[in-house]
Amino acid sequence: MKTQSLLLLLFALFSCALPVALQAQDESPGDSGSIQFSCVVWEPLPITAVFYRDGKSYLPLEFFPGNRSQLYPLKDGNALELYKKVTAADGAVTYQLVGRAPLVAGARRMLFLVDPVGKASRLPLRLYGVNDALDVFPPGTIRFFNFSATELQVKFAGQASKLPRGKMSLVKSNVSENGGFIPFLIGDPKGAVLFETRLFSQPTGRDMVFISAPAQPGGRLLVKVLPQLIAPEPPQPAGPSPSSSP
């Protein structure tokens, strides 16, 4: 019970502490093939300065652990490539690839999870990208990601569904205008409850829930929540009223 209460408090504080981070923006791609993207890291990365390549330019990224970065433009290429700056003894500067992930076909806005990986990996950073456009992930919904090794069952807002390994699902919260805490359960394929808490939801929010395998065999599933508030579109000014006939 103490663990569950602590999780409740953390989720509530984390959701409420975030500012309205995203206005309802025009998501049209502009130039052919251009997109916008943001990144999220859970902990500070071992590489202190990270750049992304856009055509021939290497542009700096800024991360905020546990939260989304700002939106960045990407006008050229079919993948997000991250680099670190390398300065040779003679002062020559080059950029070394440290992470790469393809863009989702047709996506105009993407979110990339960035994690460090072990030395056995070819690249030190692992990227996982998802379509983050408002038309596929609107306010008032929650996305669940299963990064564990087995199929799971999730129950949220009275809706139960299977969540295969490596897959994601989208659930509408159906929460009231003022928002509130909604029971959230994770079970195994046989229905045994593996994790239980309550998530705070509101109509202007869209949250991501990442479910990973326990850190130690036999431990609890690791659950991380990435909330975001979406500002409603401002009301359109009323047009001139039609003149009355004499």
Side-chain angles (χ1 to χ4, degrees), residues 69-154:
S69 71
Q70 70 180 59
L71 283 169
Y72 292 93
L74 181 61
K75 298 179 180 179
D76 190 22
N78 57 7
L80 177 65
E81 295 180 351
L82 302 187
Y83 291 80
K84 68 177 181 179
K85 184 186 293 187
V86 178
T87 303
D90 61 359
V93 174
T94 58
Y95 291 88
Q96 179 181 336
L97 183 69
V98 294
R100 185 182 190 278
L103 304 181
V104 174
R108 294 173 294 179
R109 174 176 287 155
M110 290 195 61
L111 175 72
F112 289 91
L113 278 69
V114 184
D115 290 306
V117 291
K119 295 182 180 180
S121 176
R122 185 176 66 89
L123 298 175
L125 299 181
R126 175 177 54 206
L127 278 63
Y128 178 82
V130 296
N131 189 340
D132 196 42
L134 291 177
D135 57 350
V136 298
F137 181 27
T141 62
I142 290 189
R143 267 178 167 173
F144 297 98
F145 296 82
N146 182 6
F147 290 153
S148 75
T150 62
E151 179 182 286
L152 298 171
Q153 293 190 46
V154 295

Side-chain angles (χ1 to χ4, degrees), residues 184-205:
F184 168 52
L185 292 86
I186 305 174
D188 64 17
K190 296 181 179 179
V193 175
L194 304 175
F195 182 92
E196 180 178 3
T197 188
R198 296 163 78 87
L199 299 178
F200 184 79
S201 297
Q202 46 195 321
T204 57

